Structure formats: C-alpha cells, structure tokens
C-alpha cells in the first residue's frame, strides 16, 4: 500500500492526513492555527525531474 501525506495550512485551521491508494483517509489530524504570534518562516522546496 502506498500512502500520501496531505497537508492544509489554512488561516483558521491546519489539517494533515495520510491517504491510501484509493483516496481513503487512513489517519487524520486537525488543529487550530496558532494566533498572536508571527508565522514561521517557510522555505519553498521543489523537485525537478530531469529528462533522460
């Protein structure tokens, strides 16, 4: 079984879920977005595929 991690970083909540090959949620979590503090810095990341 292959699993994918889905993450939703929203203004009011943060959700994460493990999703299987059929799109069913295997495990999930939801938290309120922290307020009153500066948001953490996030670095963009990308994956580049090189043709061979």
């Amino acid at each position: 079984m292959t699993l994918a991690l889905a993450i939703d970083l929203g203004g009011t909540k943060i959700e994460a879920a493990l999703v299987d090959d059929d799109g069913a949620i295997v495990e999930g979590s939801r938290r309120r977005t922290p307020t009153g503090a500066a948001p953490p810095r996030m670095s963009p990341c990308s994956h580049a595929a090189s043709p061979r």
Side-chain angles (χ1 to χ4, degrees):
M1 172 189 332
T2 302
L3 297 175
L5 176 61
I7 300 175
D8 178 5
L9 300 173
T12 59
K13 67 182 180 311
I14 299 170
E15 294 184 273
L18 283 176
V19 183
D20 69 13
D21 295 330
D22 296 323
I25 296 174
V26 176
E27 184 70 37
S29 179
R30 179 185 296 177
R31 302 281 187 265
R32 297 183 86 178
T33 300
T35 59
R41 293 185 66 152
M42 297 183 72
S43 299
C45 65
S46 62
H47 297 272
S50 58
R52 295 186 184 230

